[in-house]
Amino acid sequence: LLEGASPAGDVSAGAAEVGAESKEAAVAATRTFGWASSAWALPCIYLAVGPGVCGHTVLNLCLSYMDPLLITLLLLFEPAVSALIGWWMGVSDVPGLWTFAGGPVTLAGCILAVVAGRRREK
């Protein structure tokens, strides 16, 4: 986390020790825009430009070279792959049972869609 910025859970836990005025600040931090501070500006800009703009530009470029169905189906794997990367990097827990159960189901559905799409083309 950035210095001076903390998630609402940390603010709430610390507020119990400090007093009523800090509790009010903790409650304000959990509201809709309580996170909006200058400490979060750079990470928010990075997330908008990096994965947002650049990621979608690369996907649009891939449409020139690959089947749109395949690209669409590959996007279904984003949540499962993200969970595994988060676990691997140590920023989240081991993915839950539903992640491991849903992965093979998604893979099977993607395989069926690609095979059916190729049969339809012939």
Side-chain angles (χ1 to χ4, degrees):
L1 291 174
L2 298 175
E3 190 172 326
S6 61
D10 291 347
V11 172
S12 300
E17 300 171 4
V18 177
E21 187 174 295
S22 294
K23 285 183 182 180
E24 290 176 17
V27 170
T30 61
R31 292 195 177 125
T32 304
F33 292 105
W35 56 269
S37 71
S38 60
W40 292 103
L42 193 58
C44 288
I45 291 170
Y46 163 74
L47 289 173
V49 173
V53 174
C54 295
H56 286 94
T57 301
V58 169
L59 283 174
N60 291 334
L61 179 67
C62 288
L63 286 170
S64 303
Y65 302 101
M66 299 171 70
D67 183 26
L69 175 65
L70 181 61
I71 293 172
T72 302
L73 294 174
L74 288 174
L75 289 175
L76 293 174
F77 288 100
E78 185 177 356
V81 171
S82 298
L84 291 173
I85 290 172
W87 168 73
W88 177 67
M89 293 182 71
V91 295
S92 68
D93 294 334
V94 176
L97 174 66
W98 290 110
T99 302
F100 289 112
V105 172
T106 304
L107 180 61
C110 289
I111 291 170
L112 288 173
V114 170
V115 169
R118 292 208 174 140
R119 283 186 182 168
R120 198 171 0 139
E121 288 176 2
K122 292 181 180 181

